[in-house]
Structure formats: C-alpha cells, structure tokens
C-alpha cells in the first residue's frame, strides 16, 4: 500500500475512495492528523495531510517522526510526498512539476532521527541518493503516459521557514546548486530512509523564488493560491496512475 503525504494545496485526496480513518499514536507523539485509508482505482492507499486537516501546522512544527512512524506501523510500501516549492532555476516557473533527485538541508532544530535516546545504537544511514530511484521512475513514467510535463533531476533546498527566503538567500542557494526551495522536504526524506520506506517527491512550483522572475520585488500570495489550485489536478492524475494502475508500471518491473 502506497502512502501519500500532502502539503499545501493537497489537504485532501479527492480521488481516494475513503474506507476509514484512524487516529494513530506513536512513541514520538501524534501525527499531523488521522490517517485516511481507502482505494484509488481499487488499489489500497493511505493519505496524510502534512500540515493537518485545517492547515494549521507550520513546516518547522510538523511532527515528522510521528508521521513517518505512523505510516511505518501500517507497513506502507512507499511514500509519495507532495509539496509546493519556489522555483530557483530559470526553467522552473509557477505551475511546473518536478521530481527532485537531490536535497540540501538547511533546516535546524527539527528532530531528524529515530536513532537517539537511551539504549538506541548510533546509526548512520546512507543518504547519497535521498530519493528512491524506482519510485521516482514510477512517477515519471506515470506522467509520461498522461502526457504531463514533469522535470526530473532537480536539487531541493529545504529551508526552515515559516518565513520565505530573502533574495540574497536564494542567490546563495543557487550558488550551492539548488534548483527548487521548500520547507518540508527534510527531515521527512531521511526519516523514511531510516525506516527503509521508499520515498519520492512531486514538487509543484507555486512561485518564482524570492528575487527571481515574477518574484523580483516580492512573492505574490494571491497568484500562489491560483497556481496551486490549477496544478493539483495534474498531481492527482499522476498519483492515480502510480497507485491505481499497476499495469502502467509493468515495463519498469515494479510492483504496487
Ligand atoms: N520558498 C520556500 N518554500 C516554498 C516557497 C518558497 O518560495 N514556495 C512554496 N513553498
């Protein structure tokens, strides 16, 4: 069963035929909300809104460990993370979909490992490739079948938020090699890795990053909403194809 963690613009999954909801408690506290179980095209799936159902949990306040642990407890076979981002690279403007392949982590103070505390062995997970290659391939293949444009190979910069970046900070991220910027990619990705859950992301560019393109003099929040609303249909279609149509993935030799 695949899990979908939804971000801004995806607080419900309208194509999920809901069977039940479950409030899960974990040793790390409470997840962002009840897990919503159901079927997409008759395939089981579970949905969790990262910022809570009322969109009240800021990126630095999300209990990433509880979210990941709750999904792990239910034995999910993979996680597709959906999140809006700012576009740094010139070709990544509002409305563009991206499947990032690398991460630079600028967040701080977020509990970011399960391997700490009394009696827990020190553990260093390999994170050379932060996203799961097979799950990324499934997303890209689904988009190709649907004739939806999607960019592969982008470096995701995870910033602390909740404020947006300064123009100088975005210039620095660009010099570091970042292509997109968001606030929730970490520690979500590494916690999935620690639990051995395949994890990949669909990033939706909501705005040009600060100081770039249409955000040269500031980020226009009104147009951000519009972009999210216009684009989530494409994201939902991709998810539907990845989760619900296993035959779509057979050429890649993958199982749902
Ligand atoms: N910066 C950080 N996170 C974001 C942005 C941004 O410009 N847009 C959407 N999420």
């Amino acid at each position: 069963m695949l899990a979908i963690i939804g971000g801004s613009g995806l607080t419900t999954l309208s194509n999920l035929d809901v069977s039940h909801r479950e409030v899960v408690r974990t040793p790390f506290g409470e997840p962002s909300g009840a897990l919503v179980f159901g079927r997409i095209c008759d395939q089981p799936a579970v949905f969790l809104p990262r910022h809570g159902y009322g969109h009240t949990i800021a990126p630095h306040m999300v209990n990433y460990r509880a979210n990941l642990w709750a999904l792990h407890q239910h034995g999910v076979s993979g996680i597709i993370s959906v999140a809006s981002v700012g576009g740094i690279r010139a070709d990544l403007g509002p409305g563009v979909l991206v499947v990032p392949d690398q991460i630079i982590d600028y967040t701080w103070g977020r509990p970011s490992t399960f391997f700490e505390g009394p009696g827990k062995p020190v553990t260093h997970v390999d994170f050379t490739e932060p996203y799961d290659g097979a799950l990324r391939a499934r997303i890209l293949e689904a988009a190709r079948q649907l004739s939806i444009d999607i960019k592969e190979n982008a470096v995701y910069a995870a910033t602390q938020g909740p404020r947006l970046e300064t123009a100088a900070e975005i210039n620095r991220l660009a010099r570091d090699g970042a292509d997109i910027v968001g606030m929730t990619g970490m520690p979500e990705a590494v916690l999935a890795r620690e639990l051995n859950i395949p994890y990949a992301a669909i990033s939706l560019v909501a705005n040009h990053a600060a100081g770039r393109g249409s955000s040269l003099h500031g980020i226009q929040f009104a147009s951000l909403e519009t972009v999210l609303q216009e684009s989530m249909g494409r994201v939902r279609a991709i998810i539907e194809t990845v989760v619900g149509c296993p035959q779509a993935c057979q050429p890649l030799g993958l199982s749902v």
Side-chain angles (χ1 to χ4, degrees):
M1 171 177 66
L2 275 177
I4 295 101
I5 302 181
S8 307
L10 193 74
T11 44
T12 57
L13 201 53
S14 57
N15 47 4
L16 182 68
D17 189 7
V18 176
S19 59
H20 63 286
R21 291 179 169 76
E22 194 176 321
V23 176
V24 182
R25 306 211 189 287
T26 83
F28 305 96
E30 290 200 11
S32 298
L35 301 186
V36 183
F37 293 87
R39 299 184 92 77
I40 298 176
C41 297
D42 217 30
Q43 296 292 329
V46 55
F47 179 76
L48 176 63
R50 185 182 291 111
H51 300 286
Y53 286 97
H55 204 270
T56 52
I57 310 172
H60 65 298
M61 299 298 289
V62 171
N63 190 339
Y64 296 94
R65 290 199 298 189
N67 286 353
L68 272 287
W69 194 263
L71 296 174
H72 170 64
Q73 276 181 326
H74 280 86
V76 300
S77 58
I79 297 173
I80 299 178
S81 152
V82 180
S84 66
V85 295
I88 301 175
R89 212 169 74 200
D91 62 323
L92 303 179
V96 172
L97 296 181
V98 187
V99 180
D101 66 333
Q102 276 297 332
I103 297 176
I104 304 177
D105 186 11
Y106 300 91
T107 65
W108 47 270
R110 302 182 181 189
S112 56
T113 181
F114 292 110
F115 298 112
E116 63 183 11
K120 296 265 173 64
V122 175
T123 304
H124 305 286
V125 290
D126 176 52
F127 207 44
T128 311
E129 298 296 336
Y131 297 106
D132 182 75
L135 192 50
R136 288 187 72 249
R138 280 171 67 177
I139 295 168
L140 293 167
E141 172 62 13
R144 196 194 58 75
Q145 289 186 5
L146 294 163
S147 300
I148 292 175
D149 275 339
I150 197 160
K151 306 275 187 190
E152 44 186 309
N153 307 115
V155 177
Y156 176 106
T159 55
Q160 178 70 359
R163 69 165 176 83
L164 291 153
E165 299 73 33
T166 66
E169 285 169 338
I170 292 299
N171 288 338
R172 172 193 169 205
L173 300 189
R175 285 195 300 275
D176 283 355
D179 301 307
I180 52 178
V181 55
M183 300 175 191
T184 55
M186 285 293 283
E188 202 171 84
V190 74
L191 292 170
R193 178 61 52 84
E194 285 192 350
L195 296 171
N196 274 321
I197 306 173
Y199 177 95
I202 303 175
S203 304
L204 164 59
V205 181
N207 56 281
H208 284 113
R212 314 228 143 192
S214 53
S215 303
L216 191 61
H217 303 294
I219 289 166
Q220 307 301 318
F221 290 94
S223 60
L224 213 131
E225 265 311 307
T226 315
V227 173
L228 290 181
Q229 272 170 22
E230 281 172 5
S231 307
M232 276 306 167
R234 282 179 287 145
V235 174
R236 284 198 178 91
I238 292 171
I239 290 171
E240 198 167 291
T241 303
V242 174
V243 179
C245 307
Q247 68 277 14
C249 304
Q250 275 172 8
L252 296 165
L254 301 163
S255 60
V256 170

